[in-house]
Amino acid sequence: MKVVRLKFPEHLELSEDEVRLLVAVELYREGKLTLKQAAELADLCVEDFIKELGRRKVSVVNWPVEELREELEEVDRL
């Protein structure tokens, strides 16, 4: 695992857990981590991470538009 040090302004008062969660959510949103990987980074079980995504209005379904379009076309063919 890679260790990264960040400096934040004092007034933010972010805990390490909050920073891990924020980073995990953003990396998941951008498709750089799977749901399981992001949950592990946030130190949460997958179910609790999904709840956090919901609170932050981040879709659990993290498919690229083209992949989703292909899936829908496949369903139409059935």
Side-chain angles (χ1 to χ4, degrees), residues 37-73:
Q37 290 169 331
E40 287 173 357
L41 177 59
D43 200 23
L44 296 173
C45 68
V46 171
E47 182 180 341
D48 288 343
F49 187 70
I50 289 171
K51 289 176 185 176
E52 282 296 331
L53 291 175
R55 285 186 195 106
R56 297 162 193 285
K57 309 283 191 264
V58 176
S59 176
V60 175
V61 179
N62 199 11
W63 288 354
V65 173
E66 187 56 38
E67 188 176 331
L68 181 57
R69 184 174 292 123
E70 289 171 8
E71 289 292 324
L72 290 172
E73 287 173 1

